[in-house]
Amino acid sequence: MKQYNLGIEATLEILGGKWKALIVCLLMSGTKRTGELQRLIPDVSQKVLIQQLRELERDGIVGRHVYNQMPPKVEYYITEYGITANKIIDVMCSWGRDNIKMRQQQGEAVELLEHGL
């Protein structure tokens, strides 16, 4: 039996790490192919992106549709269960924007590029 000391541990087990919350955030706006996600997250390697997508799929947050064609086409989307994480993602995005504003006011050279999200 798996045990957690706090509920946030269970959340971080699924959404923790450098890329998972960002992937979920990007998929909230609609279905994306692997290449689209790669372009939107240029700092992630293809290997890590695919690994993170597989873990999110295993945890029921992300779904994958594979088209039977050549070359292969795969699309990723947020599942109904994954949509329940939207509140968490929204709060993280809002906190991040506020954090960036505060840092800018303190004179730090930091900017937010949101890709139209």
Side-chain angles (χ1 to χ4, degrees), residues 51-111:
Q51 177 186 8
Q52 299 285 280
L53 285 163
R54 284 182 183 154
E55 290 174 10
L56 287 166
E57 185 180 8
R58 176 199 68 210
D59 292 329
I61 302 296
V62 167
R64 177 174 62 133
H65 186 254
V66 181
Y67 293 88
N68 189 16
Q69 68 182 50
M70 286 309 271
K73 178 181 173 183
V74 179
E75 291 182 334
Y76 293 92
Y77 59 91
I78 291 294
T79 63
E80 192 172 318
Y81 176 60
I83 290 170
T84 66
N86 197 21
K87 289 179 189 174
I88 297 166
I89 301 300
D90 283 345
V91 169
M92 290 172 71
C93 289
S94 178
W95 188 89
R97 284 189 298 272
D98 291 346
N99 176 268
I100 288 169
K101 286 178 191 171
M102 180 193 70
R103 291 162 58 193
Q104 288 170 334
Q105 291 169 351
Q106 293 174 346
E108 186 176 343
V110 60
E111 98 181 280

Coordinates of all heavy atoms in Angstrom, one line a residue, residues 51-111:
Q51 N 8.9 10.7 -22.7 CA 8.8 10.0 -21.4 C 7.8 10.7 -20.5 O 7.0 10.0 -19.9 CB 10.2 10.1 -20.8 CG 10.2 9.5 -19.4 CD 11.6 9.7 -18.7 OE1 12.4 10.4 -19.2 NE2 11.7 9.1 -17.6
Q52 N 7.8 12.0 -20.5 CA 6.8 12.8 -19.7 C 5.4 12.5 -20.2 O 4.4 12.3 -19.4 CB 7.1 14.3 -19.7 CG 8.5 14.6 -19.2 CD 8.6 14.5 -17.7 OE1 8.1 15.4 -17.0 NE2 9.1 13.5 -17.1
L53 N 5.2 12.5 -21.5 CA 3.9 12.2 -22.1 C 3.4 10.8 -21.7 O 2.2 10.6 -21.4 CB 3.9 12.4 -23.6 CG 3.9 13.9 -24.1 CD1 4.3 13.9 -25.5 CD2 2.6 14.5 -23.8
R54 N 4.3 9.9 -21.8 CA 3.9 8.5 -21.4 C 3.5 8.4 -19.9 O 2.6 7.7 -19.6 CB 5.1 7.5 -21.7 CG 5.2 7.2 -23.2 CD 6.4 6.3 -23.4 NE 6.5 6.1 -24.8 CZ 7.7 5.7 -25.4 NH1 8.7 5.5 -24.7 NH2 7.7 5.5 -26.7
E55 N 4.2 9.1 -19.1 CA 3.9 9.1 -17.6 C 2.5 9.7 -17.4 O 1.7 9.2 -16.6 CB 5.0 9.7 -16.8 CG 6.3 8.9 -16.8 CD 7.4 9.7 -16.1 OE1 7.2 10.7 -15.4 OE2 8.6 9.2 -16.2
L56 N 2.3 10.9 -18.1 CA 1.0 11.5 -17.9 C -0.1 10.7 -18.5 O -1.2 10.6 -17.9 CB 1.0 12.9 -18.6 CG 1.8 14.0 -17.9 CD1 2.1 15.1 -18.9 CD2 1.2 14.4 -16.7
E57 N 0.2 9.9 -19.5 CA -0.8 9.0 -20.1 C -1.1 7.8 -19.1 O -2.2 7.5 -18.9 CB -0.3 8.4 -21.4 CG -1.3 7.6 -22.2 CD -0.8 7.0 -23.5 OE1 0.4 7.2 -23.8 OE2 -1.6 6.4 -24.2
R58 N 0.0 7.3 -18.6 CA -0.2 6.2 -17.6 C -1.0 6.6 -16.4 O -1.8 5.9 -15.9 CB 1.2 5.8 -17.1 CG 1.2 4.7 -16.0 CD 2.5 4.7 -15.3 NE 2.7 5.9 -14.5 CZ 3.9 6.4 -14.2 NH1 5.0 5.9 -14.6 NH2 3.9 7.5 -13.4
D59 N -0.9 7.9 -16.0 CA -1.6 8.4 -14.8 C -3.0 8.9 -15.2 O -3.7 9.4 -14.3 CB -0.8 9.5 -14.2 CG 0.5 9.0 -13.5 OD1 0.5 7.9 -13.1 OD2 1.5 9.8 -13.4
G60 N -3.4 8.8 -16.5 CA -4.7 9.1 -16.9 C -5.0 10.6 -17.1 O -6.1 11.0 -17.4
I61 N -3.9 11.4 -17.1 CA -4.1 12.9 -17.3 C -4.1 13.2 -18.8 O -4.9 14.1 -19.3 CB -2.9 13.6 -16.7 CG1 -2.8 13.3 -15.2 CG2 -3.0 15.1 -17.0 CD1 -3.9 13.8 -14.4
V62 N -3.4 12.5 -19.6 CA -3.2 12.7 -21.1 C -3.7 11.5 -21.8 O -3.4 10.4 -21.4 CB -1.8 13.1 -21.4 CG1 -1.5 13.0 -22.9 CG2 -1.4 14.5 -20.9
G63 N -4.3 11.7 -22.9 CA -4.7 10.6 -23.8 C -3.9 10.7 -25.1 O -3.4 11.8 -25.4
R64 N -3.8 9.6 -25.8 CA -3.0 9.6 -27.1 C -3.8 8.9 -28.1 O -4.4 7.9 -27.9 CB -1.7 8.8 -26.8 CG -0.8 8.7 -28.0 CD 0.5 8.1 -27.6 NE 0.3 6.7 -27.1 CZ 1.0 5.7 -27.4 NH1 1.9 5.7 -28.3 NH2 0.7 4.5 -26.9
H65 N -3.9 9.5 -29.3 CA -4.6 8.9 -30.4 C -3.5 8.7 -31.5 O -2.9 9.6 -32.0 CB -5.7 9.8 -31.0 CG -6.5 9.2 -32.0 ND1 -6.4 9.6 -33.3 CD2 -7.4 8.2 -32.0 CE1 -7.2 8.8 -34.1 NE2 -7.8 8.0 -33.3
V66 N -3.4 7.4 -31.9 CA -2.4 7.0 -33.0 C -3.2 6.8 -34.2 O -4.1 5.9 -34.2 CB -1.6 5.8 -32.5 CG1 -0.6 5.4 -33.6 CG2 -0.9 6.0 -31.2
Y67 N -2.8 7.5 -35.3 CA -3.5 7.3 -36.6 C -2.7 6.2 -37.3 O -1.5 6.2 -37.3 CB -3.5 8.6 -37.4 CG -4.4 9.6 -36.8 CD1 -3.9 10.5 -35.8 CD2 -5.7 9.8 -37.1 CE1 -4.7 11.5 -35.2 CE2 -6.5 10.7 -36.6 CZ -6.0 11.6 -35.6 OH -6.8 12.5 -35.1
N68 N -3.5 5.3 -38.0 CA -2.9 4.2 -38.8 C -2.5 4.7 -40.2 O -3.3 4.6 -41.1 CB -3.9 3.0 -38.8 CG -3.3 1.8 -39.4 OD1 -2.0 1.7 -39.5 ND2 -4.1 0.9 -39.9
Q69 N -1.4 5.4 -40.2 CA -0.9 5.9 -41.5 C 0.6 6.0 -41.5 O 1.2 5.8 -40.5 CB -1.5 7.3 -41.7 CG -1.0 8.4 -40.8 CD -1.6 9.7 -41.0 OE1 -2.8 9.8 -41.1 NE2 -0.8 10.8 -41.1
M70 N 1.1 6.2 -42.7 CA 2.6 6.4 -42.8 C 2.8 7.8 -43.4 O 2.2 8.1 -44.4 CB 3.2 5.3 -43.7 CG 3.2 3.9 -43.0 SD 4.0 4.0 -41.4 CE 5.7 3.7 -41.9
P71 N 3.7 8.6 -42.8 CA 4.4 8.3 -41.6 C 3.4 8.4 -40.4 O 2.3 8.9 -40.5 CB 5.4 9.5 -41.5 CG 4.8 10.6 -42.3 CD 4.0 9.9 -43.4
P72 N 3.8 7.7 -39.3 CA 2.9 7.7 -38.2 C 2.5 9.1 -37.7 O 3.3 10.0 -37.7 CB 3.7 7.0 -37.1 CG 4.8 6.3 -37.8 CD 5.1 7.1 -39.1
K73 N 1.3 9.2 -37.2 CA 0.8 10.5 -36.7 C 0.2 10.1 -35.3 O -0.7 9.3 -35.2 CB -0.3 11.0 -37.6 CG -0.9 12.3 -37.1 CD -2.0 12.8 -38.1 CE -2.7 14.0 -37.5 NZ -3.8 14.5 -38.4
V74 N 0.7 10.9 -34.3 CA 0.2 10.7 -32.9 C -0.2 12.1 -32.4 O 0.5 13.1 -32.6 CB 1.3 10.1 -32.0 CG1 0.8 10.0 -30.6 CG2 1.8 8.8 -32.6
E75 N -1.4 12.1 -31.8 CA -1.9 13.3 -31.2 C -2.1 13.1 -29.7 O -2.6 12.0 -29.3 CB -3.2 13.8 -31.8 CG -3.0 14.3 -33.2 CD -4.3 14.8 -33.9 OE1 -5.4 14.4 -33.4 OE2 -4.2 15.6 -34.7
Y76 N -1.8 14.1 -28.9 CA -2.1 14.0 -27.4 C -3.1 15.0 -27.1 O -3.2 16.1 -27.6 CB -0.8 14.3 -26.7 CG 0.3 13.3 -26.9 CD1 1.2 13.4 -27.9 CD2 0.3 12.2 -26.1 CE1 2.2 12.4 -28.1 CE2 1.3 11.2 -26.3 CZ 2.2 11.3 -27.3 OH 3.2 10.3 -27.5
Y77 N -3.9 14.7 -26.0 CA -5.0 15.5 -25.6 C -5.2 15.3 -24.1 O -4.7 14.3 -23.5 CB -6.3 15.2 -26.3 CG -6.7 13.7 -26.2 CD1 -7.6 13.3 -25.1 CD2 -6.3 12.7 -27.0 CE1 -8.0 12.0 -25.0 CE2 -6.6 11.4 -26.9 CZ -7.5 11.1 -25.8 OH -7.8 9.7 -25.7
I78 N -5.9 16.2 -23.5 CA -6.2 16.1 -22.1 C -7.4 15.2 -21.9 O -8.4 15.4 -22.6 CB -6.5 17.5 -21.5 CG1 -5.2 18.4 -21.4 CG2 -7.1 17.4 -20.1 CD1 -4.2 17.8 -20.5
T79 N -7.4 14.3 -21.0 CA -8.5 13.4 -20.7 C -9.5 14.2 -19.8 O -9.2 15.3 -19.3 CB -8.1 12.2 -20.0 OG1 -7.5 12.5 -18.7 CG2 -7.1 11.4 -20.8
E80 N -10.7 13.6 -19.6 CA -11.7 14.2 -18.7 C -11.1 14.3 -17.3 O -11.3 15.3 -16.6 CB -12.9 13.3 -18.7 CG -14.1 14.0 -18.1 CD -15.4 13.2 -18.3 OE1 -15.6 12.7 -19.4 OE2 -16.1 13.1 -17.3
Y81 N -10.4 13.3 -16.9 CA -9.7 13.3 -15.6 C -8.6 14.4 -15.6 O -8.5 15.1 -14.6 CB -9.1 11.9 -15.3 CG -8.3 11.9 -14.0 CD1 -9.0 12.2 -12.8 CD2 -7.0 11.6 -14.0 CE1 -8.3 12.2 -11.6 CE2 -6.3 11.6 -12.8 CZ -6.9 11.9 -11.6 OH -6.2 11.8 -10.4
G82 N -7.9 14.5 -16.6 CA -6.8 15.5 -16.7 C -7.4 17.0 -16.6 O -6.7 17.8 -16.0
I83 N -8.6 17.2 -17.1 CA -9.2 18.5 -17.0 C -9.4 18.9 -15.5 O -9.3 20.1 -15.2 CB -10.5 18.5 -17.8 CG1 -10.2 18.4 -19.3 CG2 -11.4 19.8 -17.5 CD1 -11.5 18.2 -20.1
T84 N -9.5 17.9 -14.7 CA -9.7 18.3 -13.2 C -8.4 18.9 -12.7 O -8.5 19.6 -11.6 CB -10.0 17.0 -12.4 OG1 -8.9 16.1 -12.4 CG2 -11.3 16.4 -12.9
A85 N -7.3 18.8 -13.4 CA -6.1 19.5 -12.9 C -6.0 21.0 -13.4 O -5.1 21.7 -13.0 CB -4.8 18.7 -13.5
N86 N -7.0 21.4 -14.1 CA -7.0 22.8 -14.6 C -6.9 23.8 -13.6 O -6.2 24.8 -13.7 CB -8.2 23.0 -15.5 CG -8.1 24.2 -16.4 OD1 -7.0 24.6 -16.7 ND2 -9.2 24.7 -16.8
K87 N -7.6 23.6 -12.4 CA -7.5 24.6 -11.4 C -6.1 24.8 -10.8 O -5.6 25.9 -10.6 CB -8.5 24.2 -10.2 CG -9.9 24.3 -10.5 CD -10.7 23.9 -9.3 CE -12.2 23.8 -9.7 NZ -13.0 23.2 -8.6
I88 N -5.4 23.6 -10.7 CA -4.0 23.7 -10.2 C -3.1 24.4 -11.2 O -2.4 25.3 -10.8 CB -3.5 22.2 -10.0 CG1 -4.3 21.5 -8.9 CG2 -2.0 22.2 -9.7 CD1 -4.1 20.0 -8.9
I89 N -3.3 24.1 -12.4 CA -2.5 24.7 -13.5 C -2.7 26.2 -13.6 O -1.8 27.0 -13.7 CB -2.7 24.0 -14.9 CG1 -2.4 22.5 -14.8 CG2 -2.0 24.7 -16.0 CD1 -1.0 22.1 -14.4
D90 N -4.0 26.6 -13.5 CA -4.3 28.0 -13.5 C -3.7 28.8 -12.4 O -3.2 29.9 -12.6 CB -5.9 28.2 -13.5 CG -6.5 27.9 -14.9 OD1 -5.8 27.9 -15.9 OD2 -7.8 27.8 -14.9
V91 N -3.8 28.2 -11.2 CA -3.2 28.9 -10.0 C -1.6 29.0 -10.2 O -1.0 30.0 -9.9 CB -3.5 28.1 -8.7 CG1 -2.7 28.6 -7.6 CG2 -5.0 28.2 -8.4
M92 N -1.0 27.9 -10.7 CA 0.4 28.0 -11.0 C 0.8 29.0 -12.0 O 1.8 29.8 -11.8 CB 0.9 26.6 -11.4 CG 0.9 25.5 -10.3 SD 1.3 23.9 -10.9 CE 3.0 24.0 -11.2
C93 N 0.0 29.1 -13.1 CA 0.3 30.1 -14.1 C 0.1 31.5 -13.5 O 0.9 32.4 -13.8 CB -0.7 30.0 -15.3 SG -0.3 28.5 -16.3
S94 N -0.9 31.8 -12.8 CA -1.2 33.1 -12.2 C -0.1 33.5 -11.2 O 0.4 34.6 -11.2 CB -2.5 33.1 -11.4 OG -2.8 34.3 -10.8
W95 N 0.3 32.5 -10.3 CA 1.4 32.8 -9.4 C 2.7 33.1 -10.1 O 3.4 34.0 -9.8 CB 1.6 31.6 -8.5 CG 2.6 31.9 -7.4 CD1 2.3 32.4 -6.1 CD2 4.0 31.7 -7.4 NE1 3.4 32.6 -5.4 CE2 4.5 32.1 -6.1 CE3 4.9 31.2 -8.3 CZ2 5.9 32.1 -5.8 CZ3 6.2 31.2 -8.0 CH2 6.7 31.6 -6.8
G96 N 3.0 32.4 -11.2 CA 4.2 32.6 -12.0 C 4.2 34.0 -12.6 O 5.2 34.7 -12.6
R97 N 3.0 34.4 -13.2 CA 2.9 35.8 -13.8 C 3.2 36.8 -12.7 O 3.9 37.8 -12.9 CB 1.6 36.0 -14.4 CG 1.4 35.3 -15.8 CD 0.2 35.7 -16.5 NE -1.1 35.3 -15.8 CZ -1.7 34.2 -15.9 NH1 -1.2 33.2 -16.7 NH2 -2.8 33.9 -15.2
D98 N 2.6 36.7 -11.5 CA 2.8 37.6 -10.4 C 4.2 37.6 -10.0 O 4.8 38.7 -9.7 CB 1.9 37.3 -9.3 CG 0.4 37.5 -9.5 OD1 0.1 38.2 -10.5 OD2 -0.4 37.0 -8.8
N99 N 4.9 36.5 -9.9 CA 6.3 36.3 -9.6 C 7.2 37.1 -10.6 O 8.1 37.8 -10.2 CB 6.6 34.9 -9.5 CG 8.1 34.7 -9.2 OD1 8.9 34.6 -10.1 ND2 8.5 34.7 -7.9
I100 N 6.9 36.9 -11.8 CA 7.7 37.6 -12.9 C 7.5 39.1 -12.7 O 8.5 39.9 -12.8 CB 7.3 37.1 -14.3 CG1 7.8 35.7 -14.4 CG2 7.8 38.0 -15.4 CD1 7.3 34.9 -15.7
K101 N 6.3 39.6 -12.5 CA 6.1 41.0 -12.4 C 6.9 41.6 -11.2 O 7.5 42.6 -11.3 CB 4.6 41.3 -12.2 CG 3.8 41.2 -13.4 CD 2.3 41.5 -13.1 CE 1.4 41.1 -14.3 NZ 0.0 41.1 -14.0
M102 N 6.8 40.8 -10.1 CA 7.6 41.3 -8.9 C 9.1 41.3 -9.1 O 9.7 42.3 -8.8 CB 7.3 40.3 -7.7 CG 8.0 40.7 -6.4 SD 8.0 39.4 -5.2 CE 9.1 38.2 -5.9
R103 N 9.6 40.3 -9.8 CA 11.0 40.3 -10.1 C 11.4 41.4 -11.1 O 12.5 42.0 -11.0 CB 11.4 38.9 -10.7 CG 11.3 37.8 -9.6 CD 11.2 36.4 -10.2 NE 12.3 36.1 -11.0 CZ 12.4 35.0 -11.8 NH1 11.4 34.2 -11.8 NH2 13.4 34.8 -12.5
Q104 N 10.5 41.7 -12.0 CA 10.8 42.9 -13.0 C 10.8 44.2 -12.2 O 11.7 45.0 -12.4 CB 9.7 42.9 -14.0 CG 9.8 41.8 -15.1 CD 8.6 41.8 -16.0 OE1 7.5 42.2 -15.7 NE2 8.8 41.2 -17.2
Q105 N 9.9 44.3 -11.2 CA 9.8 45.6 -10.4 C 11.1 45.7 -9.5 O 11.5 46.8 -9.2 CB 8.6 45.6 -9.5 CG 7.3 45.8 -10.3 CD 6.1 45.5 -9.5 OE1 6.1 45.0 -8.4 NE2 4.9 45.8 -10.1
Q106 N 11.7 44.6 -9.2 CA 12.9 44.6 -8.4 C 14.2 44.8 -9.3 O 15.3 44.7 -8.9 CB 13.1 43.3 -7.6 CG 12.0 43.2 -6.6 CD 12.1 41.8 -5.8 OE1 12.7 40.9 -6.3 NE2 11.4 41.7 -4.7
G107 N 13.9 44.9 -10.6 CA 15.0 45.2 -11.6 C 15.6 44.0 -12.3 O 16.6 44.2 -13.0
E108 N 15.1 42.8 -12.0 CA 15.6 41.6 -12.7 C 15.2 41.6 -14.2 O 14.1 42.0 -14.5 CB 15.1 40.4 -12.0 CG 15.7 39.1 -12.5 CD 15.3 37.9 -11.7 OE1 14.7 38.0 -10.6 OE2 15.5 36.8 -12.3
A109 N 16.2 41.2 -15.0 CA 15.9 41.2 -16.4 C 15.2 39.8 -16.7 O 15.9 38.8 -17.0 CB 17.2 41.3 -17.2
V110 N 13.9 39.8 -16.6 CA 13.1 38.6 -16.9 C 11.9 38.9 -17.7 O 11.3 40.0 -17.5 CB 12.8 37.9 -15.5 CG1 12.0 38.8 -14.6 CG2 12.1 36.5 -15.8
E111 N 11.5 38.1 -18.6 CA 10.3 38.4 -19.4 C 9.5 37.2 -19.6 O 10.0 36.0 -19.5 CB 10.7 39.1 -20.7 CG 10.7 38.2 -21.9 CD 11.1 39.0 -23.2 OE1 10.3 39.7 -23.7 OE2 12.3 38.9 -23.5

